[in-house]
Amino acid sequence: MDKSKRQVVIAGNWKMNKNAEETKALLAEMTTAIKDADCKVLLCVPAINISTAVEATKDSIIEIGAQNCHWAANGAYTGEISADMLKSFGIKYAIIGHSERRQYFGETDKTVNMRALACHENGITPIICVGENLEEREKDITKDVIKTQITEGLANFTKQQLHNTIIAYEPVWAIGTGKTATAQQAEEVCAYIRELLGELFCPMCAQKVTIQYGGSMNAANAKELLSMPNIDGGLIGGASLKATDFNTIVESAK
Ligand code: 13P
């Protein structure tokens, strides 16, 4: 199967940025700038701004996603948000296992798996983040790290659930550092992820999975990264907070 058969997804991750007023203002700019696209365009905003963002984008091609989702249906989990709650706002995508959640909030491959399965039960596509840190890259164990994250993060997935999953390869050393992986480095790992999914599920199933690259993707480097055979989109932090830059990235996917 060739790349054009996979859905290209350009997703912004606003992380912990923008209050309610700022969210409205930036989305007004975004909806004006981004009128047509050959790909799915998604903005994952802080949970508290989801309803504001959904309202602000209701007549636009931009979809709103979440940045996390708890595994339990409900219960005594102060501060957490369930997949059912996200679904009730029409949310269809949630970032799961971002490296910042792994680093600062104790996220593990096991909790990534539980959160992703809760997403699937509620018709939400998890965007599962994987990636090595600098030390792991320097030790030349990138593939081992990715293999564990994918195998454990996607444990007990059915083929159908795999089909409704996006993988985001985000090398930790490239996030927010301005240091992008070269297109070749990114392609090598994304191709490896696809090969692994082929072994774990089936080669044909793996061909249908959208694999994004994330880590200092910007208006200048997006085109080259997105032209690689196994890179089907981007997960963009900093550059998704600027309407013109984000629009350029969306345009690069055409
Ligand atoms: P930057 O694009 O700011 O490097 O962030 C990438 C990222 O973490 C997206 O999830």
Side-chain angles (χ1 to χ4, degrees), residues 13 15 98 100 170 174-177 214-217 235-238:
N13 174 8
K15 308 192 179 184
H98 191 279
E100 286 147 17
E170 298 207 309
I175 295 176
T177 58
S216 299
M217 190 187 265
L235 186 54
I236 297 117

Side-chain angles (χ1 to χ4, degrees), residues 96-134:
I96 300 293
H98 191 279
S99 64
E100 286 147 17
R101 296 219 55 91
R102 294 177 190 258
Q103 188 178 350
Y104 305 125
F105 303 102
E107 193 81 73
T108 64
D109 293 323
K110 175 72 189 156
T111 57
V112 165
N113 182 241
M114 289 158 68
R115 291 180 201 275
L117 287 169
C119 284
H120 285 308
E121 278 164 30
N122 287 277
I124 294 172
T125 298
I127 301 174
I128 300 181
C129 301
V130 297
E132 80 288 3
N133 62 32
L134 186 59

Side-chain angles (χ1 to χ4, degrees), residues 10-65:
I10 300 293
N13 174 8
W14 281 12
K15 308 192 179 184
M16 195 176 74
N17 290 293
K18 306 295 172 189
N19 65 24
E21 286 312 311
E22 291 163 347
T23 297
K24 278 189 217 163
L26 182 52
L27 288 174
E29 278 186 63
M30 292 273 186
T31 51
T32 306
I34 304 171
K35 293 276 192 214
D36 72 318
D38 283 350
C39 58
K40 181 165 285 294
V41 183
L42 195 64
L43 287 170
C44 298
V45 303
I48 197 164
N49 290 326
I50 282 178
S51 86
T52 301
V54 166
E55 175 63 24
T57 52
K58 67 174 190 288
D59 298 320
S60 121
I61 60 166
I62 298 173
E63 268 191 61
I64 299 302

Side-chain angles (χ1 to χ4, degrees), residues 74-95:
N74 51 51
Y77 298 100
T78 303
E80 290 290 324
I81 289 165
S82 73
D84 176 61
M85 293 170 190
L86 294 175
K87 186 170 70 174
S88 71
F89 282 92
I91 297 300
K92 298 203 184 77
Y93 294 85
I95 297 171

